[in-house]
Amino acid sequence: MDSALKTGLFIININNIAYPDINIQGDDLIDPWNSTSVDYEKLVQQFGIKPFKELLKDIENPSFLMERGIIFGHRDFGRIVKAMREKTPFTVVTGMMPSGKMHIGHKMIVDQLIWYQSKDAEIYIPIADMESYSARGVDFNDSRKLALEEYITNYIALGLDFQSKNVRTYLQSENRDVNDLAYKLARKVNWNEMKAIYGFSGSTNIAHLYAPLIQVADILHPQLDTYGGPKPVVVPVGPDQDPHIRLTRDIAERFKNQFQFIAPSSTYHRFITGLTGGKMSSSKPKTAIFLSDSPDVAEKKIKTAKTGGRESLDEQRKMGGVPEDCVVYEMLLYHLVDDDQELNSIHSQCKSGEIMCGECKAQAAVKVRELFETLAQKREKARGQAIKVLED
Amino acid sequence: MDSALKTGLFIININNIAYPDINIQGDDLIDPWNSTSVDYEKLVQQFGIKPFKELLKDIENPSFLMERGIIFGHRDFGRIVKAMREKTPFTVVTGMMPSGKMHIGHKMIVDQLIWYQSKDAEIYIPIADMESYSARGVDFNDSRKLALEEYITNYIALGLDFQSKNVRTYLQSENRDVNDLAYKLARKVNWNEMKAIYGFSGSTNIAHLYAPLIQVADILHPQLDTYGGPKPVVVPVGPDQDPHIRLTRDIAERFKNQFQFIAPSSTYHRFITGLTGGKMSSSKPKTAIFLSDSPDVAEKKIKTAKTGGRESLDEQRKMGGVPEDCVVYEMLLYHLVDDDQELNSIHSQCKSGEIMCGECKAQAAVKVRELFETLAQKREKARGQAIKVLED
């Protein structure tokens, strides 16, 4: 599975899910926020995920990811809206799987956490070292090191405040409550279900087969009495993780009498496109800008990115560019331009043929350089703080 | 699975094992120690279990269970013999699954532990609360209570010294090292293997499916560095548990480079016959004398037991009885008569028709009463000690 897909929760091998085909959308679309080739509308229709925009008006100061439709769907997010409005406790759970380097696509999940932090959410960050061991053979010590030095360092550099008491970060392998709960929950899930959801086969190792239960427990354990009891919980994920969310919600229901679980809510975000047009993946360095890239390298990479430009400059002046099919535009939309007016202006300049790709890339490169210069500085400072995160 | 079979290790549902048919042996046999209807010789031949008697001469003061052929087979017990001779450390692991009441058949495992204790073995007693939860739905608190009040109380009353530092008793659910190791080991076992060994199906719950790995870790964890490193370990079991032993030995081999495990040894003991002639089972009260039965009840029960008597007294005087097919004789052999001469004398009196079943039963009843009177007294004292066993 591609690492662009694991910004949301974890990597789980979901092999045989009947997701609708990915449709390339034509350039007849005018939605400026839509810059992707996945037919998210269809996802929403077929799997009962609700469109996020219907809730937008009820959210005070929504995240730009919500406003721009990057977070496009949800299940039961109304519970979270209510908790925010009524200032009652709620929780966000989002895991990190220490495997490879973080790329700019992963920033999206940190941006969501920062927003939730501003809404006084309690934040749980499980580090999926058990999954990493069983699915990828990563040693537990290596997972710990990678989580601290790469992931948490970047999370801090990007602006998440780990010193807040509301942030709980843990290694799965060290969290006894999670492991205990996983085993309890595992009693009401059988092999047929696991096979159908995760595509496991006879040669799947038993640790790998068991790992999703640990993740279900990651999501449900904040509702145990020791952690304050039942409360709304939201899990921000990519749509590929929805089967896992559905299983978790089913299991919550199966143990409702015992634990009074409230079924967890979820939000669904679009994937970021890789520099070459496919998926952005840590394992394919040409597709990704890594958060640890130097400002020079990051700048060079954005300049090589695939754009929505036409065959010739003449044609582009006449017909305009296709921002919906442009990696650079997507980067501006997701990460580089805060101001909506500025983004709108770039979008219409492109569509009308006023600005060519070269110029646009040059502007984007300046912004990328700024972002990466700041990040590099902040990461230096973050390192010392990161290594203490697992110490309590 | 019958509870008579779980004295050795734990209950594991082993459904599809191709054990040879059970053959009723004729009364042409003259071995006074053979009082069972299972063809253990065949077990030994077909599954590569070695006959125990070949080692008997090398063991100083062997247990009566060894001398009487009740422990009939082994794998690699030579390692244990060597450790005993050279006074180097070795370990015995035998779990208890808290489920129902202990019957007299379970005494056999305690007798083995007492013998190993006299040989300075380190003894690990995992309480299989995780297995009990996943296979039988027994709540963790109930398991703990049952283990202390029923099992450990009886173990102490029967003579096992839990105050020795060499005895380590723990609840699986509370042993982090065991759980961590189980997950690590689970990476090199797949679903196909588990299915073949334990007969799991698509509807098997994931906790149940995972439980055997916990038991593998119960057996292997005494060899971790924290517990003194690699050493010979022996697991006394009934032959039905051999597939589990084989899996454990295979897994030890798969992780040899990482942990330097020595493949665990095992011994195999005969099952005790139930009062009605079939298996002794806690779930079928008429088949079992429970350790908590009053001396009166125990005495009454032995008097109702199926014997190896003939159709009529006349016939029996002429042809003699069949001690090999007599529950009362088996009880004498396993539990009631320490002295070999006395046992031999009863055996030949029976075979020669000198003693009839009524008289023999009356003598056995006296012995049962004595045993149960002593046990009742000792259990009273043991209670206070038992509740402290899990406290360190």
Side-chain angles (χ1 to χ4, degrees), chain A residues 133-134 183-184 189 192 202 206, chain B residues 133-134 183-184 189 192 202 206:
Chain A
Y133 168 78
S134 61
Y183 192 78
K184 285 179 187 163
V189 186
N192 284 335
I206 303 297
Chain B
Y133 169 78
S134 60
Y183 192 78
K184 285 180 188 162
V189 187
N192 284 334
I206 303 296

Side-chain angles (χ1 to χ4, degrees), chain A residues 51-291:
Chain A
F52 198 88
K53 58 187 173 198
E54 69 186 21
L55 286 178
L56 207 53
K57 62 181 187 323
D58 302 323
I59 303 171
E60 202 183 337
N61 297 322
S63 152
F64 74 97
L65 294 164
M66 295 167 176
E67 291 186 307
R68 293 183 181 179
I70 297 167
I71 296 172
F72 67 91
H74 76 97
R75 289 187 191 274
D76 283 341
F77 194 75
R79 282 181 197 142
I80 305 298
V81 173
K82 187 164 177 277
M84 290 191 288
R85 195 172 52 229
E86 296 175 357
K87 311 261 180 227
T88 53
F90 74 101
T91 296
V92 188
V93 181
T94 181
M96 56 174 79
M97 162 130 158
S99 153
K101 290 194 290 182
M102 277 183 80
H103 60 60
I104 193 152
H106 298 122
K107 175 173 174 290
M108 196 198 306
I109 204 76
V110 187
D111 287 335
Q112 292 186 59
L113 290 178
I114 292 167
W115 182 81
Y116 280 117
Q117 197 160 46
S118 78
K119 299 291 178 187
D120 294 326
E122 191 183 45
I123 297 174
Y124 283 73
I125 306 180
I127 300 167
D129 63 343
M130 289 176 76
E131 171 83 7
S132 202
Y133 168 78
S134 61
R136 306 228 164 169
V138 179
D139 174 85
F140 288 92
N141 288 330
D142 293 345
S143 272
R144 186 192 183 95
K145 196 167 178 284
L146 191 61
L148 293 173
E149 293 177 8
E150 172 73 16
Y151 286 73
I152 294 175
T153 299
N154 275 314
Y155 277 42
I156 295 171
L158 289 166
L160 191 65
D161 177 10
F162 279 83
Q163 288 174 320
S164 155
K165 279 186 185 166
N166 274 341
V167 180
R168 302 188 188 200
T169 313
Y170 63 88
L171 291 159
Q172 286 179 327
S173 67
E174 294 188 352
N175 192 317
R176 170 106 173 251
D177 292 336
V178 164
N179 280 273
D180 288 355
L181 181 61
Y183 192 78
K184 285 179 187 163
L185 301 178
R187 186 161 184 259
K188 294 194 182 173
V189 186
N190 69 30
W191 160 253
N192 284 335
E193 283 182 283
M194 296 299 276
K195 200 173 140 183
I197 294 172
Y198 301 103
F200 292 150
S201 75
S203 62
T204 301
N205 81 62
I206 303 297
H208 191 177
L209 193 157
Y210 189 70
L213 275 304
I214 304 280
Q215 296 179 12
V216 170
D218 281 327
I219 297 172
L220 295 179
H221 88 284
Q223 297 193 59
L224 294 178
D225 286 343
T226 348
Y227 296 86
K231 64 177 86 67
V233 172
V234 59
V235 191
V237 292
D240 59 312
Q241 298 296 334
D242 189 48
H244 184 67
I245 296 292
R246 293 205 303 269
L247 175 68
T248 307
R249 288 162 58 92
D250 283 352
I251 293 176
E253 183 63 34
R254 290 171 205 173
F255 284 87
K256 207 175 176 177
N257 287 340
Q258 192 176 344
F259 296 109
Q260 287 76 50
F261 288 140
I262 297 166
S265 309
S266 50
T267 62
Y268 302 88
H269 49 250
R270 294 162 193 263
F271 303 131
I272 197 166
T273 311
L275 298 176
T276 51
K279 285 172 185 167
M280 187 174 288
S281 165
S282 297
S283 58
K284 293 177 191 158
K286 282 191 179 168
T287 67
I289 304 182
F290 294 107
L291 294 180

